[in-house]
């Protein structure tokens, strides 16, 4: 009998789902600012990249995140609500290889692994990516994140 170990991508996905589900059940909570942005890698849109905003304020427990679309664009969501709390953030980006996908059965069981990070983990470690953002009440669009492999 073989034992499957969860990948870092599976763990990140699970944490995001649990965070957004557990915290975002009601209308309460902090005010969120609708914020969008984009991610390119070597000048091309990063379709399917996961962008996570880690608060630098230790009191802030909510973690805004998004997945980029075909054009590399994203809209942040926090606790299953659109937007992000005002604050400063360290940003991580993981871009799973879209050609490696878990089967629907694996997804339901939480066993499937996403493909390897096309960025080689270069932007995956919180605080070590050099990517930062300050979100204010008037922030609408973040500067494009222009990454390289």
């Amino acid at each position: 009998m073989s034992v499957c170990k969860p990948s870092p991508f599976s763990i990140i996905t699970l944490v995001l789902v649990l965070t957004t589900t557990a915290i975002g059940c009601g209308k309460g909570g902090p005010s969120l600012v609708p914020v969008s942005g984009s991610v390119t890698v070597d000048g091309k849109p990063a379709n399917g990249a996961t962008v996570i905003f880690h608060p630098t304020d230790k009191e802030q427990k909510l973690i805004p995140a998004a997945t980029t679309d075909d054009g590399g664009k994203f809209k942040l969501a926090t606790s299953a609500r659109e937007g992000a709390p005002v604050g400063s953030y360290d940003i991580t980006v993981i871009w799973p290889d879209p050609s490696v996908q878990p089967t629907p059965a694996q997804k339901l069981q939480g066993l499937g692994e996403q493909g390897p990070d096309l960025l080689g983990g270069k932007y995956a470690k919180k605080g070590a990516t050099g990517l930062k953002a300050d979100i204010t009440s008037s922030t609408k669009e973040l500067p494009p994140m222009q990454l390289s492999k």
Side-chain angles (χ1 to χ4, degrees):
M1 173 188 234
S2 66
V3 177
C4 294
K5 289 186 176 183
S7 75
F9 301 120
S10 299
I11 293 169
I12 290 169
T13 302
L14 178 62
V15 168
L16 286 175
V17 168
L18 292 176
T19 300
T20 57
T21 304
I23 298 174
C25 294
K27 288 252 181 194
S31 297
L32 302 179
V33 179
V35 178
S36 60
S38 64
V39 178
T40 60
V41 176
D42 297 327
K44 297 180 182 168
N47 180 16
T50 301
V51 183
I52 303 172
F53 282 60
H54 305 274
T56 58
D57 177 0
K58 302 220 184 294
E59 298 297 316
Q60 170 61 272
K61 301 296 182 199
L62 300 174
I63 301 174
T67 299
T68 59
D69 64 15
D70 292 348
K73 297 186 181 304
F74 65 87
K75 289 183 181 180
L76 287 174
T78 306
S79 301
R81 295 174 37 215
E82 184 178 324
V86 169
S88 295
Y89 297 90
D90 286 327
I91 304 168
T92 58
V93 180
I94 298 171
W95 190 20
D97 185 341
S99 68
V100 180
Q101 293 294 318
T103 66
Q106 288 173 322
K107 285 181 185 179
L108 287 173
Q109 296 173 17
L111 298 175
E113 293 186 19
Q114 294 180 326
D117 184 3
L118 294 173
L119 301 170
K122 185 175 179 180
Y123 302 97
K125 187 172 180 190
K126 179 175 97 172
T129 67
L131 302 172
K132 298 183 179 299
D134 290 315
I135 296 177
T136 67
S137 59
S138 61
T139 304
K140 293 185 183 348
E141 179 86 19
L142 296 170
M145 287 184 246
Q146 300 172 339
L147 311 180
S148 62
K149 286 188 180 178

